[in-house]
Amino acid sequence: MKRAKHRHLLAALLLQPNTTVAASLLIDQMWGERPPQSARNNLKTYVWQLRRMLAALDHGRAHIETSGNGYRITVRPDQLDTLLFQDLTQQGGQALRRGDVALAEATFSRAMDLWRGEVLQGVTLSGPLSAWAVTLAEDRLEVLEDLMEARLALGRHSEVIGPLRRAVHEHPLRERLWIQLMTALYRDGRTGEALHAYQSLRLHLVSEIGAEPGPAVRRLHQRVLAADPGLDAHAPTACLHACEEISARGAATTGSPRCAAAPAAPAELPSDAGAFVGRDADLARAIAVLGDPATGPGSFVAIDGPAGVGKSRLAVRLAHAVVAAYPDGQLYMNLHGASPGLAPLTPGEVLARFLRSLNVPGVSGREDVDEAAALFRTRTAGRRMLVVLDNAADALQVRPLLPGGSTSTVIVTSRTRLTTLDATVRLHLDMPGERDAIGLLAAFAGPERIEEDPQAAARIVELCGRLPLAVRIAGARLAAHPHWPAARLASRLASAESRLDELAQGDLCVRTSLSAGHELDRHPEAAELFSLLGLLDLPDVTAPVAAALAGRGTDDVHTSLDALVRARLLESHASDGYRMHDLTRLFARERAIRTLPESDRAAAVRRAVHCRLPASRAATAMPSLSTLIGTWPGRHDERTFVTSASPSAPAAGRAPSMPGQTSRA
């Protein structure tokens, strides 16, 4: 094949051998969405030329024939690697099911030997051809897993370690391969390396998709730790048992082992291990509804709250508490509605993953969203399934992901309140009480550290604003520094200028959590107002003060305030009052210093002060000017902020003096 179009056409026909391929589909595969006007005539010419080429290679036999509105290429299984590969794969699976492991291993080996490079190597892949290539690569990977399983069952654990190491390097999220590698290493007497393999998998999963290893891998990890005799090389029916284990426990990334007699129900919930403190009332309320036969099936639980408040942790605990009521499977997906550095998943991406978890064949992720959603509803209708949608961006992202029928339950977490979706239970999370927050700190730092200095522990919790994420990080920091007294961390957190720097440990960071506000990405005016609000140390802000701060009209600023409330960067607690969490204010102040000129900051605060002053003069208890102006990093006298922030125009920065107070601005 000297011409690229001829190779492209031949590949498109051979991917569907002995089947009529519509001319319109061939045009789409060869030229994409914008084919030339001459595409149909060009296709006819390429087909005619390709016939002549093939006839010259096979004693005059053309192989390609016109059929209806398309073309068909006729080949025998022994003439096409993909057909032979499929035939050998089927034979190997049948051998496994009847227990003939040796024949299965030989058959799978022949199938793998047919591969001599990447799929469709040398062919420029269009969108449709890319989808076919992905499917073929997935089939190849499943056969490799089956081959490794058969060799493990035959006691050939030493020889599979190398190939498995290469496979997990190329496919680090493929849990079945990691299970096989851990098993091979353990049987080879390399227990330490088997345990290290588990930690490597966990690191990949947590960093890539924010999930813990699936139940099957965790169970194997515990068996390795316990030196379970059932893992030994002489254990009977090792191959079939391993396949059954993966299928029954069903991590989403393992694929569907061919040796399983029937597809297993997905079990994708993240681990429920770890501390869970407080939220007892919220948890009990949701469990009561889900456990009620009259309302449980078909329930929708919506959990919302600001960043770091513990929405995901509550959802996972709730899901595990009711999991026994959903024997047909549990689906889980982090939708990345507010994940740092990640765009929210599209409904199409999520539906493709869910359909693959439900063993729907031929899912590529390129399907029409409405069509995929309808198929998902069909596959879930009549089944008792639990679907957990974590970290949703908005209702538009969630709506296509709701299962069909009235027997499944959905748990959704989001920052914004999904009021346009019909929820059976709505849980609006706020900061826990001081007692629960101290309990969370003790769970991570150790209760003895808290008992040594309860006052310092209370101070840490206060400086964290009782935000669970911040308290958890503080506890992790104490655990990482066992010789620190709690008072030392409290002292380090006392500085507002460096507090966010202190609230970071490992992969947890309050600043990073707050920075993931996709709502602000769509509303630049709201983003600017958010930064400006960080300059004030007021416990509450009204719309007129916010408008003065931003230099905009009161009616106009309401749109930005509403956007900040939806992003949970502000809380609306009265008809015209808004409140910002202390750590959120520090983050907003950092943004203001980084993004706004010093003169703009000073002018904004000056406008807010003058807007606030009339109400302050009328009040019985007069606040000092320092309560109206946030501490400026590097400035120790808050009352001199307006002047010092704009030294080139001290007169312009002079604020009116209050009764009983000499103006120092």
Side-chain angles (χ1 to χ4, degrees):
M1 295 298 135
K2 295 183 179 180
R3 297 182 181 178
K5 286 296 183 185
H6 293 141
R7 289 196 298 271
H8 206 145
L9 174 60
L10 181 59
L13 291 170
L14 288 176
L15 284 172
Q16 301 180 72
N18 306 314
T19 302
T20 300
V21 183
S24 59
L25 180 59
L26 290 172
I27 291 172
D28 182 45
Q29 291 176 339
M30 294 178 66
W31 284 282
E33 298 179 355
R34 296 182 178 180
Q37 293 182 350
S38 59
R40 188 167 294 274
N41 289 332
N42 290 347
L43 176 62
K44 293 179 180 179
T45 301
Y46 291 138
V47 169
W48 177 75
Q49 293 172 340
L50 189 56
R51 279 182 178 142
R52 295 185 59 188
M53 296 177 189
L54 294 176
L57 295 173
D58 193 13
H59 309 289
R61 187 182 177 193
H63 289 278
I64 301 176
E65 60 185 40
T66 303
S67 176
N69 293 324
Y71 302 93
R72 178 174 59 205
I73 188 166
T74 304
V75 293
R76 300 188 308 272
D78 61 341
Q79 293 178 311
L80 184 61
D81 285 348
T82 54
L83 291 178
L84 183 56
F85 176 78
Q86 293 169 0
D87 186 49
L88 291 171
T89 297
Q90 185 177 14
Q91 293 177 32
Q94 292 171 349
L96 270 184
R97 284 190 288 274
R98 63 174 180 265
D100 193 343
V101 181
L103 177 59
E105 190 279 334
T107 307
F108 287 140
S109 293
R110 287 182 59 198
M112 291 301 298
D113 288 342
L114 295 173
W115 289 81
R116 294 178 291 274
E118 297 297 323
V119 181
L120 299 178
Q121 194 168 357
V123 178
T124 301
L125 299 182
S126 61
L129 286 185
S130 294
W132 278 103
V134 169
T135 301
L136 288 173
E138 177 70 18
D139 290 343
R140 176 190 185 186
L141 194 52
E142 288 188 3
V143 173
L144 173 64
E145 292 171 338
D146 291 341
L147 175 60
M148 297 295 103
E149 205 76 62
R151 288 178 178 172
L152 282 171
L154 293 171
R156 295 162 60 178
H157 41 268
S158 296
E159 72 177 74
V160 303
I161 291 175
L164 283 172
R165 286 195 188 278
R166 290 191 294 272
V168 297
H169 176 74
E170 295 172 359
H171 308 280
L173 303 183
R174 194 88 175 184
E175 293 191 10
R176 191 182 178 203
L177 291 172
W178 284 99
I179 286 177
Q180 293 170 340
L181 177 59
M182 290 172 62
T183 303
L185 288 168
Y186 179 81
R187 292 179 178 178
D188 204 42
R190 298 150 73 172
T191 303
E193 293 181 58
L195 295 173
H196 184 267
Y198 173 81
Q199 296 300 332
S200 297
L201 167 62
R202 184 178 182 277
L203 179 63
H204 280 298
L205 288 173
V206 170
S207 62
E208 293 292 331
I209 62 175
E212 293 287 338
V217 193
R218 297 199 304 272
R219 178 165 172 159
L220 176 60
H221 180 236
Q222 293 300 317
R223 294 177 69 189
V224 171
L225 287 171
D228 187 345
L231 291 178
D232 294 341
H234 61 270
T237 60
C239 172
L240 297 181
H241 174 74
C243 287
E244 179 184 350
E245 168 74 6
I246 299 169
S247 181
R249 298 292 173 178
T253 52
T254 58
S256 302
R258 300 175 187 277
C259 52
E268 300 179 352
L269 295 181
S271 171
D272 189 34
F276 183 86
V277 178
R279 309 296 184 198
D280 295 336
D282 291 321
L283 185 62
R285 178 187 168 201
I287 291 176
V289 172
L290 298 185
D292 186 343
T295 59
S299 296
F300 186 109
V301 180
I303 305 173
D304 65 77
V309 81
K311 303 180 293 295
S312 299
R313 187 70 188 91
L314 176 60
V316 171
R317 172 55 60 97
L318 172 60
H320 279 276
V322 301
V323 69
Y326 301 94
D328 294 324
Q330 307 88 45
L331 298 171
Y332 170 87
M333 187 63 64
N334 183 346
L335 302 181
H336 298 304
S339 297
L342 296 175
L345 294 179
T346 66
E349 292 174 310
V350 180
L351 286 168
R353 297 187 193 184
F354 279 173
L355 291 172
R356 285 194 290 267
S357 294
L358 294 172
N359 299 294
V360 176
V363 177
S364 66
R366 298 178 179 274
E367 294 79 12
D368 176 76
V369 172
D370 291 337
E371 180 182 351
L375 180 57
F376 178 62
R377 292 193 295 270
T378 298
R379 288 302 180 109
T380 53
R383 302 173 69 177
R384 291 183 64 90
M385 299 196 68
L386 180 62
V387 181
V388 180
L389 304 173
D390 196 12
N391 197 7
D394 50 36
L396 288 175
Q397 187 187 31
V398 171
R399 201 179 298 279
L401 309 179
L402 302 181
S406 59
T407 55
S408 295
T409 286
V410 179
I411 302 173
V412 179
T413 73
S414 61
R415 292 191 184 181
T416 184
R417 296 183 177 183
L418 305 178
T419 54
T420 60
L421 296 176
D422 294 329
T424 313
V425 180
R426 293 190 186 276
L427 302 178
H428 307 300
L429 302 192
D430 203 345
M431 303 305 131
E434 182 183 40
R435 182 177 178 180
D436 285 339
I438 292 177
L440 183 61
L441 182 68
F444 284 91
E448 66 285 349
R449 304 286 291 281
I450 306 308
E451 293 169 1
E452 290 174 358
D453 192 345
Q455 290 184 339
R459 179 60 175 158
I460 289 172
V461 165
E462 177 188 1
L463 291 169
C464 290
R466 304 198 312 275
L467 181 70
L469 174 62
V471 174
R472 179 182 177 186
I473 293 172
R477 294 209 65 189
L478 287 175
H481 300 279
H483 302 297
W484 279 13
R488 178 172 179 178
L489 180 59
S491 176
R492 295 172 70 107
L493 291 172
S495 171
E497 296 177 27
S498 59
R499 191 174 306 158
L500 292 181
D501 293 328
E502 296 292 334
L503 291 175
Q505 179 71 23
D507 61 339
L508 299 178
C509 178
V510 169
R511 182 185 284 112
T512 301
S513 177
L514 291 171
S515 68
H518 296 292
E519 188 76 31
L520 296 187
D521 296 340
R522 300 192 293 267
H523 297 280
E525 290 184 340
E528 181 181 6
L529 176 61
F530 173 66
S531 300
L532 290 172
L533 287 170
L535 300 176
L536 302 181
D537 271 338
L538 294 171
D540 302 290
V541 175
T542 62
V545 171
L549 190 69
R552 292 153 56 188
T554 303
D555 292 338
D556 180 45
V557 84
H558 272 296
T559 301
S560 296
L561 289 169
D562 289 344
L564 296 177
V565 170
R566 285 195 301 272
R568 303 309 288 269
L569 296 170
L570 279 182
E571 293 296 325
S572 176
H573 65 90
S575 60
D576 199 31
Y578 301 88
R579 182 170 296 162
M580 182 179 284
H581 189 273
D582 290 345
L583 297 181
T584 306
R585 182 181 294 108
L586 294 179
F587 175 70
R589 189 172 301 168
E590 287 184 350
R591 283 177 54 105
I593 296 171
R594 187 176 66 252
T595 62
L596 300 176
E598 188 173 286
S599 58
D600 290 355
R601 300 194 297 263
V605 173
R606 189 182 308 118
R607 290 192 299 269
V609 169
H610 282 278
C611 175
R612 176 86 178 203
L613 279 175
S616 298
R617 289 194 179 101
T620 302
M622 290 298 302
S624 66
L625 186 59
S626 62
T627 64
L628 304 178
I629 305 171
T631 305
W632 192 262
R635 308 290 184 184
H636 300 289
D637 187 349
E638 298 176 0
R639 293 171 298 174
T640 63
F641 165 73
V642 177
T643 300
S644 60
S646 184
S648 61
R654 184 172 295 117
S657 60
M658 297 183 185
Q661 177 184 3
T662 302
S663 173
R664 296 183 55 188

